[in-house]
Amino acid sequence: STQSTWGVDTRSGSLHKSKLPGSLRMEAIKKKMQAMKVEKDNACDRCDVTEEASKAAKIRADKAEDEVAELVAKSRQLETELDLTAEKFDLCELAIGEKEKSYLPSRSRDE
C-alpha cells in the first residue's frame, strides 16, 4: 500500500488525488499539522534543555581548567622551593663535613 501525506505519495513523491472528501482531507491535514507542531515544540524543549546542560558543563570545564592551571603553578613553585632547599641542604652538608674535618684532626692531636 502507498503511504500518503497531504496527498503526496511518499514512495514516489508524486501528487495524487485523495479519495477523502474535502472537509475530511482538511481535518486530516490539521491533525497532521498539530502533531508536527507538538513534535517541533518537544524538539525545541529538548534543544533548550541540552543547551542549558551544555552551558553548565562549559562553566564546570572552565572552572576545572582554572583549577588545573593553579595546581600546575603551585606544583612549579613547590619544585623550585624543593630545588632551593636541596641546594641549601647540600651546602650545609659540605659545611658540616668541613667542620668535622677541621674538628677531628685537632681533636686527635689533643689526645
Side-chain angles (χ1 to χ4, degrees), residues 42-93:
N42 288 340
C44 287
D45 290 345
R46 286 191 307 271
C47 180
D48 291 343
V49 168
T50 304
E51 280 183 15
E52 288 303 315
S54 175
K55 287 177 186 175
K58 182 166 177 12
I59 289 169
R60 287 192 311 273
D62 289 345
K63 286 181 181 178
E65 286 177 7
D66 291 345
E67 186 175 337
V68 166
E70 288 176 18
L71 290 171
V72 166
K74 181 68 174 174
S75 172
R76 286 185 184 137
Q77 179 186 356
L78 290 172
E79 286 175 358
T80 302
E81 290 176 14
L82 175 63
D83 290 345
L84 292 172
T85 302
E87 286 177 20
K88 288 179 184 176
F89 178 75
D90 291 342
L91 291 174
C92 288
E93 272 191 324

Side-chain angles (χ1 to χ4, degrees), residues 1-109:
S1 80
T2 301
Q3 294 287 331
S4 108
T5 304
W6 301 348
V8 176
D9 183 336
T10 56
R11 268 200 268 164
S12 67
S14 66
L15 291 174
H16 68 278
K17 191 85 167 160
S18 175
K19 296 177 183 164
L20 295 174
S23 63
L24 287 179
R25 238 182 321 163
M26 187 56 75
E27 195 61 35
I29 291 170
K30 286 180 181 177
K31 283 183 182 180
K32 180 70 175 179
M33 288 176 66
Q34 282 179 326
M36 291 173 70
K37 183 188 180 314
V38 168
E39 190 176 329
K40 179 199 69 106
D41 290 345
N42 288 340
C44 287
D45 290 345
R46 286 191 307 271
C47 180
D48 291 343
V49 168
T50 304
E51 280 183 15
E52 288 303 315
S54 175
K55 287 177 186 175
K58 182 166 177 12
I59 289 169
R60 287 192 311 273
D62 289 345
K63 286 181 181 178
E65 286 177 7
D66 291 345
E67 186 175 337
V68 166
E70 288 176 18
L71 290 171
V72 166
K74 181 68 174 174
S75 172
R76 286 185 184 137
Q77 179 186 356
L78 290 172
E79 286 175 358
T80 302
E81 290 176 14
L82 175 63
D83 290 345
L84 292 172
T85 302
E87 286 177 20
K88 288 179 184 176
F89 178 75
D90 291 342
L91 291 174
C92 288
E93 272 191 324
L94 286 174
I96 289 172
E98 292 298 318
K99 296 274 185 196
E100 284 177 343
K101 285 180 190 175
S102 67
Y103 175 73
L104 290 177
S106 66
R107 187 169 177 202
S108 60
R109 280 186 252 139

